[in-house]
Amino acid sequence: MIVNSFISKGLLGNPAGVVEYYDDMPTEKMQSIAEIINLSETAFIRKDPLNPNCFLIRWFTPTVE
C-alpha cells in the first residue's frame, strides 16, 4: 500500500510504502521489497507478539534500513 504522509488535508504529502506482515520476515526480503516499491520510505509493520496493543515498525529506503 502507498500512503501520503505528513499531511493535514487533501492528497498532498510525501508518498510512503506501508507493508503489513504477520510472521517473521528476513531483513533481506524487506530490503528487496523496499527496493521494488522505490519510494524514499517503506514501513514494515506488524503487531507486537508480546503486546498486541502495540506495533513493531521497521523503516527502509530503497538502499538501506
Side-chain angles (χ1 to χ4, degrees), residues 20-37:
E20 185 176 5
Y21 67 106
Y22 301 96
D23 296 316
D24 288 334
M25 184 184 301
T27 299
E28 296 80 15
K29 184 171 183 177
M30 290 181 180
Q31 186 63 65
S32 176
I33 292 169
E35 184 178 350
I36 291 167
I37 292 174

Side-chain angles (χ1 to χ4, degrees), residues 2-23:
I2 296 175
V3 299
N4 287 320
S5 55
F6 308 112
I7 63 169
S8 59
K9 64 180 180 175
L11 297 175
L12 306 172
N14 300 327
V18 178
V19 177
E20 185 176 5
Y21 67 106
Y22 301 96
D23 296 316

